């Protein structure tokens, strides 16, 4: 599997689209707002740049795509007003994701968003220039010293490739308590390789004094097979295993599948940043959010207003392209129905959470 | 009709897509290569910028989209080599079109194009950063003083709106010998308004000494109703009229339709540039190309290898979204079949050409 050509959130605005199932990601963005605000103040508050270049890496396609960058622009504008400055900076907004992302949907929503921004913020605000940047953030994406602020939420846990040797992981599709140590090492090494490459690329692109705020699906525990990060995939593996028993999937097919993801601990994130050396860490935090936050109660018919079902839809909008690429499209409805049942059952019995690791950094002079 | 939300070339790669029917546009780009080369030398040849920012405005979606910008990058690289310079500049490429353009197709073709570029140009070349910029070029699209080279081919004849009073133009869908003078004036004034706004926006975005090369579908004659620019639309109007006779379209529906286009003369282009005042004209030329250049003989089954049919397909890939918006989708196949027949008939009797006006300019210090 060529991850960069397969991985993308489900496009469009349908029932299984990422756009309709990204409530949890939005909540996470709101939770990290204070950290973002602090970083934005650090950039704009003492320099009053004429043009501010802001990149959102792994922007996906949905209501969150423009939510982050408009929040950042509003923060800048608030600072501008608080200092009594008349003229607004120009905003150059770079929205990045892999080439398979549904940029058309983003672009078609822009005229309305820009109109709303103008109405809300007044004529002094902006102008804002939006651009789409297709490509992997594990490569260079922007000219040297061209970015002031980089944001990325719920993207950097995705690896550039499935680590070698997933067959050894048998029926697990991610790290699990039964994963052999060679597999655990392969996952961690792939994270180290990818994240350090990310830092190296950004160190060339971010201006001195520029900031980055990254939120990564992670864990608090030192153990990379800890339930807090692996459980949600473990339950998907369970659904897949049931389908193997039912003869709907071949066992070898399941054995050769692995999710290209790694959920790092704050310590692991810190270690890579320090090793790379270009960025000074301002903040490093772990926060948690309940799976039930996936619920988007307003959008769903009453009969489906069930947390397990909602989490399954969330995960479907995120992981379906990877699963289709490996298992084919025909089993998807059945798979996610099973997964929803399994999730409902677990969520009724225990409290289920995901952990977010947020790091805020400044590019060293 | 909100032109900016309706106008776009047909997306995808199907039989009626712009991607499969843009041979003439490619030929025009090749014809203006010398002018582009001269402009690129003017930018890079004496400054050796570290980052060159290149914008293609109205890039559409198809084989030409990346053709222009890769040609420009190759020109820069040739100059670099001829001066014996080791290090390549970075290329920041902005691909602009209206938000309805099929950016997804462009972005999905990028990994392959970038790979081919690396192979052809060697490891010294680049890096190249591609971005998509959705929006009307009759508004600001880029930060102040951020562009070195602006290219636009076959886009600036599109107006931001259908001029007021098209009903007076009756069964004509563009200017024609029977157009009343008020309609002719309305079309010309809309062109003046739009093109001067284009120049004003670009004057803020292009660095001093930066260049623009624009090719516009135009005319040589002073008469805006001249056959050389109006005939091709006149024949489409003829096909529409036949459908009115057959009761497939209501007469009022035809009367209220107008193509948001104006094909200016070199003199009219020059007048606007001089009035706006920010750019010095380096070159201003009119060239002509035969309608038969629409033929893409390799891609068509033999039985359809007919020039009229090919021109109809070319025009369909360009004008269909506008026509669907006004007349509905159901009549399109019939309309373009009729149009193809009419075109075949005319092209067998007379030589039919389109005129291109190309202007090359430098932003004044």
């Amino acid at each position: 599997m060529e991850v960069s050509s397969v991985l993308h959130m489900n496009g469009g605005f349908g029932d299984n689209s990422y756009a309709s199932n990204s409530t949890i990601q939005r909540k996470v963005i709101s939770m990290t707002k204070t950290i973002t605000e602090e970083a934005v103040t650090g950039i704009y508050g003492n320099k009053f740049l004429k043009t501010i270049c802001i990149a959102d890496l792994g922007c996906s396609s949905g209501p969150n795509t423009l939510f982050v960058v408009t929040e950042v622009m509003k923060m800048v504008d608030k600072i501008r007003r608080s200092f009594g400055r008349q003229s607004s900076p120009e905003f150059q907004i770079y929205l990045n994701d892999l080439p398979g992302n549904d940029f058309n949907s983003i672009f078609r929503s822009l005229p309305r968003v820009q109109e709303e921004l103008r109405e809300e913020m007044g004529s002094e605000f902006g102008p804002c220039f939006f651009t789409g940047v297709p490509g992997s953030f594990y490569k260079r994406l922007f000219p040297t010293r061209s970015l002031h602020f980089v944001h990325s939420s719920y993207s950097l846990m995705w690896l550039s490739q499935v680590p070698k040797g997933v067959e050894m992981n048998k029926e697990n599709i991610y790290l699990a308590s039964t994963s052999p140590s060679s597999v655990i090492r392969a996952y961690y090494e792939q994270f180290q390789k990818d994240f350090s490459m990310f830092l190296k690329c950004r160190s060339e692109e971010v201006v001195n004094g520029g900031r980055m705020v990254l939120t990564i699906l992670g864990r608090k525990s030192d153990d990379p097979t800890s339930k807090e990060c692996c459980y949600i995939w473990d339950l998907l593996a369970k659904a897949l295993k049931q389908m193997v028993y039912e003869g709907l999937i071949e066992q070898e097919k399941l054995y050769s599948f692995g999710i290209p993801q790694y959920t790092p601990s704050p310590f692991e994130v810190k270690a890579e940043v320090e090793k790379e050396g270009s960025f000074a860490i301002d903040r490093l935090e772990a926060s948690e959010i309940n799976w039930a936050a996936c619920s988007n109660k307003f959008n769903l018919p009453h009969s489906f207003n069930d947390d397990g079902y909602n989490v399954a839809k969330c995960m479907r909008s995120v992981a379906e392209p990877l699963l289709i690429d490996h298992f084919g499209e025909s089993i998807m409805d059945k798979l996610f129905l099973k997964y929803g049942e399994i999730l409902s059952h677990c969520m009724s019995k225990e409290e289920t959470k995901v952990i977010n690791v947020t790091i805020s950094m400044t590019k060293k002079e």
Side-chain angles (χ1 to χ4, degrees), chain A:
Chain A
M1 175 166 62
E2 183 70 51
V3 172
S4 65
S5 60
V6 176
L7 176 66
H8 59 84
M9 307 300 101
N10 271 343
F13 299 93
D15 199 38
N16 295 321
S17 70
Y18 180 76
S20 306
N21 294 282
S22 44
T23 324
I24 196 166
Q25 289 87 341
R26 190 181 193 98
K27 283 184 188 151
V28 170
I29 292 165
S30 298
M31 282 164 66
T32 56
K33 194 174 167 180
T34 321
I35 299 177
T36 305
E37 215 150 18
E38 198 178 85
V40 170
T41 309
I43 299 158
Y44 183 66
N46 42 29
K47 284 193 194 144
F48 302 111
L49 303 154
K50 279 190 179 163
T51 304
I52 302 190
C53 298
I54 298 165
D56 190 28
L57 307 183
C59 65
S60 79
S61 172
N64 301 330
T65 303
L66 298 167
F67 178 56
V68 178
V69 291
T70 52
E71 284 296 302
V72 171
M73 288 191 282
K74 286 175 189 175
M75 288 170 193
V76 170
D77 202 59
K78 200 172 136 194
I79 300 166
R80 173 183 74 80
R81 286 169 193 270
S82 74
F83 280 91
R85 292 186 68 91
Q86 283 255 303
S87 78
S88 165
E90 295 181 347
F91 296 97
Q92 171 77 303
I93 306 294
Y94 296 106
L95 301 169
N96 155 261
D97 212 311
L98 288 168
N101 185 51
D102 187 2
F103 282 94
N104 282 353
S105 294
I106 305 174
F107 288 178
R108 282 158 200 185
S109 72
L110 271 175
R112 191 185 41 76
V113 170
Q114 282 172 304
E115 187 56 41
E116 283 168 8
L117 259 180
R118 261 191 301 275
E119 271 173 31
E120 186 183 340
M121 305 302 289
S123 58
E124 277 176 17
F125 177 74
C128 325
F129 307 113
F130 290 88
T131 64
V133 182
S136 165
F137 49 49
Y138 296 126
K139 293 181 180 168
R140 284 286 305 274
L141 291 168
F142 306 96
T144 303
R145 308 261 169 281
S146 62
L147 301 177
H148 300 103
F149 182 64
V150 172
H151 178 273
S152 180
S153 190
Y154 267 38
S155 301
L156 273 155
M157 63 280 185
W158 293 109
L159 301 172
S160 68
Q161 58 180 78
V162 180
K164 297 265 185 310
V166 280
E167 314 77 38
M168 310 270 292
N169 209 8
K170 300 216 169 137
E171 71 270 17
N172 299 316
I173 62 168
Y174 182 53
L175 297 180
S177 55
T178 56
S179 293
S181 62
S182 65
V183 170
I184 300 173
R185 200 167 47 243
Y187 267 86
Y188 182 46
E189 283 174 0
Q190 189 62 49
F191 166 74
Q192 288 182 300
K193 199 177 148 202
D194 285 340
F195 191 52
S196 66
M197 181 53 84
F198 174 88
L199 292 166
K200 188 176 172 297
C201 292
R202 299 300 85 73
S203 77
E204 294 172 31
E205 296 164 354
V206 175
V207 300
N208 291 345
R211 305 279 184 129
M212 288 214 285
V213 175
L214 316 174
T215 296
I216 313 174
L217 196 62
R219 63 181 205 275
K220 287 181 180 172
S221 163
D222 285 337
D223 175 12
T225 67
S226 152
K227 198 174 169 186
E228 63 183 11
C229 57
C230 303
Y231 196 38
I232 204 155
W233 294 117
D234 216 25
L235 298 179
L236 182 58
K238 204 169 166 181
L240 285 162
K241 261 180 285 182
Q242 283 186 12
M243 294 180 82
V244 171
Y245 299 143
E246 292 170 22
L248 296 167
I249 297 174
E250 286 171 32
Q251 191 175 52
E252 295 72 45
K253 203 77 191 158
L254 176 55
Y255 278 26
S256 60
F257 183 71
I259 291 284
Q261 188 171 95
Y262 186 80
T263 42
S265 69
F267 176 80
E268 288 169 345
V269 169
K270 186 171 171 237
E272 294 310 312
V273 173
E274 288 177 347
K275 212 193 296 169
E276 196 278 330
S278 307
F279 293 92
I281 298 175
D282 301 315
R283 267 175 188 272
L284 176 60
E285 289 178 11
S287 59
E288 49 186 46
I289 191 163
N290 211 294
W291 288 6
C294 276
S295 300
N296 186 358
K297 303 213 160 149
F298 303 106
N299 280 354
L300 291 165
H302 186 70
S303 56
F304 289 122
N305 212 340
D306 167 279
D307 285 338
Y309 176 87
N310 293 339
V311 175
K313 274 174 57 118
C314 262
M315 296 295 285
R316 183 172 188 165
S317 76
V318 164
E320 192 171 28
L322 294 169
L323 291 158
I324 287 179
D325 182 67
H326 193 82
F327 298 106
E329 196 159 1
S330 60
I331 62 157
M332 289 302 125
D333 285 340
K334 199 153 193 173
L335 173 63
F336 281 97
L337 199 65
K338 262 185 209 297
Y339 187 35
E341 281 163 19
I342 296 170
L343 284 162
S344 287
H345 182 68
C346 293
M347 289 170 78
S348 66
K349 286 192 309 178
E350 51 192 323
E351 211 188 8
T352 44
K353 285 176 177 172
V354 291
I355 310 296
N356 313 307
V357 175
T358 301
I359 185 165
S360 179
M361 305 176 248
T362 303
K363 173 83 189 335
K364 294 178 186 168
E365 299 286 329

PDB file of all heavy atoms in Angstrom, chain A residues 220-232:
ATOM      1  N   LYS A 220      -0.622   8.689  27.102  1.00  0.00           N
ATOM      2  CA  LYS A 220       0.099   9.192  28.266  1.00  0.00           C
ATOM      3  C   LYS A 220       1.118   8.158  28.741  1.00  0.00           C
ATOM      4  O   LYS A 220       2.193   8.491  29.210  1.00  0.00           O
ATOM      5  CB  LYS A 220      -0.886   9.492  29.396  1.00  0.00           C
ATOM      6  CG  LYS A 220      -1.729  10.735  29.134  1.00  0.00           C
ATOM      7  CD  LYS A 220      -2.672  11.012  30.286  1.00  0.00           C
ATOM      8  CE  LYS A 220      -3.500  12.255  30.022  1.00  0.00           C
ATOM      9  NZ  LYS A 220      -4.560  12.460  31.026  1.00  0.00           N
ATOM     10  N   SER A 221       0.727   6.913  28.614  1.00  0.00           N
ATOM     11  CA  SER A 221       1.544   5.796  29.098  1.00  0.00           C
ATOM     12  C   SER A 221       2.873   5.699  28.350  1.00  0.00           C
ATOM     13  O   SER A 221       2.987   6.129  27.202  1.00  0.00           O
ATOM     14  CB  SER A 221       0.743   4.509  28.887  1.00  0.00           C
ATOM     15  OG  SER A 221       1.572   3.387  28.952  1.00  0.00           O
ATOM     16  N   ASP A 222       3.871   5.109  28.998  1.00  0.00           N
ATOM     17  CA  ASP A 222       5.125   4.831  28.304  1.00  0.00           C
ATOM     18  C   ASP A 222       4.993   3.635  27.374  1.00  0.00           C
ATOM     19  O   ASP A 222       5.797   3.456  26.462  1.00  0.00           O
ATOM     20  CB  ASP A 222       6.245   4.539  29.324  1.00  0.00           C
ATOM     21  CG  ASP A 222       6.722   5.823  29.988  1.00  0.00           C
ATOM     22  OD1 ASP A 222       6.531   6.903  29.381  1.00  0.00           O
ATOM     23  OD2 ASP A 222       7.255   5.749  31.109  1.00  0.00           O
ATOM     24  N   ASP A 223       3.985   2.822  27.623  1.00  0.00           N
ATOM     25  CA  ASP A 223       3.814   1.577  26.866  1.00  0.00           C
ATOM     26  C   ASP A 223       3.051   1.827  25.558  1.00  0.00           C
ATOM     27  O   ASP A 223       1.877   2.190  25.581  1.00  0.00           O
ATOM     28  CB  ASP A 223       3.030   0.582  27.749  1.00  0.00           C
ATOM     29  CG  ASP A 223       2.703  -0.702  27.001  1.00  0.00           C
ATOM     30  OD1 ASP A 223       3.262  -0.930  25.905  1.00  0.00           O
ATOM     31  OD2 ASP A 223       1.857  -1.472  27.520  1.00  0.00           O
ATOM     32  N   PRO A 224       3.723   1.624  24.418  1.00  0.00           N
ATOM     33  CA  PRO A 224       3.047   1.887  23.130  1.00  0.00           C
ATOM     34  C   PRO A 224       1.911   0.916  22.818  1.00  0.00           C
ATOM     35  O   PRO A 224       1.172   1.138  21.862  1.00  0.00           O
ATOM     36  CB  PRO A 224       4.167   1.756  22.097  1.00  0.00           C
ATOM     37  CG  PRO A 224       5.232   0.954  22.752  1.00  0.00           C
ATOM     38  CD  PRO A 224       5.124   1.184  24.235  1.00  0.00           C
ATOM     39  N   THR A 225       1.766  -0.128  23.614  1.00  0.00           N
ATOM     40  CA  THR A 225       0.632  -1.041  23.391  1.00  0.00           C
ATOM     41  C   THR A 225      -0.471  -0.812  24.422  1.00  0.00           C
ATOM     42  O   THR A 225      -1.392  -1.626  24.563  1.00  0.00           O
ATOM     43  CB  THR A 225       1.075  -2.524  23.448  1.00  0.00           C
ATOM     44  OG1 THR A 225       1.474  -2.824  24.797  1.00  0.00           O
ATOM     45  CG2 THR A 225       2.238  -2.805  22.513  1.00  0.00           C
ATOM     46  N   SER A 226      -0.362   0.307  25.120  1.00  0.00           N
ATOM     47  CA  SER A 226      -1.348   0.637  26.150  1.00  0.00           C
ATOM     48  C   SER A 226      -2.758   0.720  25.558  1.00  0.00           C
ATOM     49  O   SER A 226      -2.960   1.157  24.422  1.00  0.00           O
ATOM     50  CB  SER A 226      -0.956   1.982  26.766  1.00  0.00           C
ATOM     51  OG  SER A 226      -2.087   2.643  27.243  1.00  0.00           O
ATOM     52  N   LYS A 227      -3.719   0.312  26.374  1.00  0.00           N
ATOM     53  CA  LYS A 227      -5.107   0.291  25.924  1.00  0.00           C
ATOM     54  C   LYS A 227      -5.599   1.683  25.498  1.00  0.00           C
ATOM     55  O   LYS A 227      -6.404   1.812  24.575  1.00  0.00           O
ATOM     56  CB  LYS A 227      -5.971  -0.231  27.077  1.00  0.00           C
ATOM     57  CG  LYS A 227      -7.343  -0.718  26.652  1.00  0.00           C
ATOM     58  CD  LYS A 227      -8.082  -1.365  27.811  1.00  0.00           C
ATOM     59  CE  LYS A 227      -9.526  -1.601  27.454  1.00  0.00           C
ATOM     60  NZ  LYS A 227     -10.320  -2.086  28.588  1.00  0.00           N
ATOM     61  N   GLU A 228      -5.099   2.719  26.178  1.00  0.00           N
ATOM     62  CA  GLU A 228      -5.590   4.082  25.907  1.00  0.00           C
ATOM     63  C   GLU A 228      -5.370   4.528  24.459  1.00  0.00           C
ATOM     64  O   GLU A 228      -6.055   5.422  23.978  1.00  0.00           O
ATOM     65  CB  GLU A 228      -4.953   5.094  26.879  1.00  0.00           C
ATOM     66  CG  GLU A 228      -3.448   5.186  26.721  1.00  0.00           C
ATOM     67  CD  GLU A 228      -2.771   6.138  27.713  1.00  0.00           C
ATOM     68  OE1 GLU A 228      -3.426   6.583  28.677  1.00  0.00           O
ATOM     69  OE2 GLU A 228      -1.589   6.431  27.522  1.00  0.00           O
ATOM     70  N   CYS A 229      -4.401   3.926  23.788  1.00  0.00           N
ATOM     71  CA  CYS A 229      -4.200   4.309  22.386  1.00  0.00           C
ATOM     72  C   CYS A 229      -4.553   3.192  21.406  1.00  0.00           C
ATOM     73  O   CYS A 229      -4.780   3.445  20.224  1.00  0.00           O
ATOM     74  CB  CYS A 229      -2.767   4.783  22.146  1.00  0.00           C
ATOM     75  SG  CYS A 229      -1.511   3.576  22.581  1.00  0.00           S
ATOM     76  N   CYS A 230      -4.580   1.963  21.890  1.00  0.00           N
ATOM     77  CA  CYS A 230      -4.728   0.827  20.965  1.00  0.00           C
ATOM     78  C   CYS A 230      -6.126   0.234  20.915  1.00  0.00           C
ATOM     79  O   CYS A 230      -6.484  -0.464  19.955  1.00  0.00           O
ATOM     80  CB  CYS A 230      -3.752  -0.292  21.339  1.00  0.00           C
ATOM     81  SG  CYS A 230      -2.046   0.273  21.363  1.00  0.00           S
ATOM     82  N   TYR A 231      -6.910   0.524  21.931  1.00  0.00           N
ATOM     83  CA  TYR A 231      -8.193  -0.158  22.096  1.00  0.00           C
ATOM     84  C   TYR A 231      -9.123   0.040  20.912  1.00  0.00           C
ATOM     85  O   TYR A 231      -9.766  -0.903  20.434  1.00  0.00           O
ATOM     86  CB  TYR A 231      -8.846   0.345  23.390  1.00  0.00           C
ATOM     87  CG  TYR A 231      -9.970  -0.510  23.914  1.00  0.00           C
ATOM     88  CD1 TYR A 231      -9.935  -1.903  23.847  1.00  0.00           C
ATOM     89  CD2 TYR A 231     -11.076   0.081  24.530  1.00  0.00           C
ATOM     90  CE1 TYR A 231     -10.969  -2.671  24.361  1.00  0.00           C
ATOM     91  CE2 TYR A 231     -12.107  -0.684  25.053  1.00  0.00           C
ATOM     92  CZ  TYR A 231     -12.057  -2.056  24.952  1.00  0.00           C
ATOM     93  OH  TYR A 231     -13.076  -2.813  25.457  1.00  0.00           O
ATOM     94  N   ILE A 232      -9.166   1.259  20.418  1.00  0.00           N
ATOM     95  CA  ILE A 232     -10.118   1.572  19.345  1.00  0.00           C
ATOM     96  C   ILE A 232      -9.826   0.770  18.072  1.00  0.00           C
ATOM     97  O   ILE A 232     -10.744   0.336  17.365  1.00  0.00           O
ATOM     98  CB  ILE A 232     -10.170   3.101  19.095  1.00  0.00           C
ATOM     99  CG1 ILE A 232     -11.515   3.492  18.464  1.00  0.00           C
ATOM    100  CG2 ILE A 232      -8.991   3.592  18.261  1.00  0.00           C
ATOM    101  CD1 ILE A 232     -11.916   4.924  18.732  1.00  0.00           C
TER     102      ILE A 232
END
